[in-house]
Structures are given as C-alpha cells and as structure tokens.
Amino acid sequence: MLIIELLKAALLGVVEGITEWLPISSTGHMILVEEFIRLNSTEAFKEMFFVVIQLGAILAVVLLYFHKLNPFSSNKSKQEKQDTMSIWYKVIIGVIPAGVLGFLFDDWLNDHLYNYQTVAVMLIAYGILFIIIENRNKTRKGSIKTFNDLTYNTAFLIGMFQVLSLIPGTSRSGATILGAILLGTSRYVAAEYSFFLSIPIMFGASALKLVKFGFNFTGMEIAILFTGMITAFAVSIIAIRFLMGYIKNNDFKPFGWYRIGLGILVIGYFGIFS
C-alpha cells in the first residue's frame, strides 16, 4: 500500500515539476491527472499536498539561481551586490498584489473557482492570448533586456498580472510572463522574473496551507509529501533549464496551442464523465 501511494506521489511530483514552470497551468494538469491518480488520503491532506509539493519545485529555482540571487556572495563586487539587492526589492514589490489578495481570498477561490469549467476557460483564453501577443511581437523587441532596465513601477505592474493567476487554470508563470512581455521585457527577463516572483509566493502559499492543515501528520503522509516534493525538485531543474534554453530562439506560441488543446480536453473529459 505504501509503495503504491509513494509511486502516485512521485508521478504527481513529475507533473508538478514540469507544469509549474512552463506556462501551461499546473492546476489544469493536476485536475486531469487527479482523475487517474488518486491518493488514498483525506481531502484535507490532498488539498494541502497539491500546494506544498510546490516547495520542492521552488527549491530548484533557489539552487539554479543561488549565485544570481545571493547578495552576500564574496565573489561579487559591491555594485553586483547592490544589483542583486535591487532584484530582491523588485521581487518584493511584485509579490505584494498577489500575496495580499491570495491571503484574503484563498478560501473563497477554492470554494467558487476550483472547478473544471474555470480551469478549461482559463487554459483556452490564455492560450489564445499567447498566440495573439506573440504574433503582435514578431516585429518588436523588448526594451527591458536586463533586470537593471526593469523599473520598480514595471515590477509592480507585472505583479498585478500575477494576481490573475489566483484563478485556477491561468498559470502563475503564464500570467506573469504575458504581463511582462506586454510591458516591454524580453522573454528571457520575463521568464526569470516569473521564477523569482514564485519564491515568496510559493513559500507563503505553502505555509498558509500547512497552518490550515495542522502539523499532525501520519508517517505515511510525511512519506507521501516528501516523495512528491523531492520528485518535483528534480524534475523542476530539468524543466527550468529546458525553458530557458528554448526561449533563446523560440516564442511562446506552441504553449498557447497546447493550452487550447488541453482546455478542450478538460471540457470533453469532464463533460462526458462528470
């Protein structure tokens, strides 16, 4: 029994690790995968599990970007340390909107919007937006090519786009990347800033879910949770490296088409079997 549950947790960790960073909605995938891979646990534990395994994914960002995000590195000059602190200030400003609204409306969002209809509509809508925006940007180049070019005002506005990701199916990375591109960033800066914004957001969301769940875990629950987190961590490293390599020479339109296809699949599956 335990081995089967650990295998389920590992598979869910693989899905989380891939879909958290690509702009294709981890929620959209999880809602489908959960139909076929059901953890033998309480509903309260499952709700907490699907949020807290994101800690594994976020640790991959911390590892891959540790030098870039570490303002205390002895290998950095004084100016480089100041530039690093500037990145963190912009991250803090960017997470304020989603952090505040997510904390205030977490329960309401779960009760009213966590359903396949919302997820499917958001998958398709943002898929279409990715295609439209990338077509619009064919002859345009982002004016914000480094984090030094990113102003605090633009950072806050990107954070406002991240608020949209509170709606299931939107994709946190998708909303922030789209917003950043619309505001003039390069795809590379948009993706990296999306990664960095996720650090406090995911830690905060996980802490909130853990507090609501409580810390009275059974031995099996601890094993399931850590298996999911470790798998999500390992797969996230691969997914992040893939995305950053991909966008050097490609746009986000394939992700847009993928989202539309997945949204149609969600509507078709749940329309037939629900």
Side-chain angles (χ1 to χ4, degrees), residues 186-222:
S186 67
R187 294 188 188 96
Y188 207 86
V189 170
E192 282 199 338
Y193 189 55
S194 171
F195 297 160
F196 301 162
L197 284 178
S198 70
I199 296 174
I201 285 291
M202 287 188 184
F203 272 113
S206 297
L208 183 61
K209 288 295 182 184
L210 282 169
V211 169
K212 288 184 176 181
F213 179 77
F215 294 90
N216 298 316
F217 293 98
T218 66
M220 176 180 278
E221 288 173 340
I222 292 174

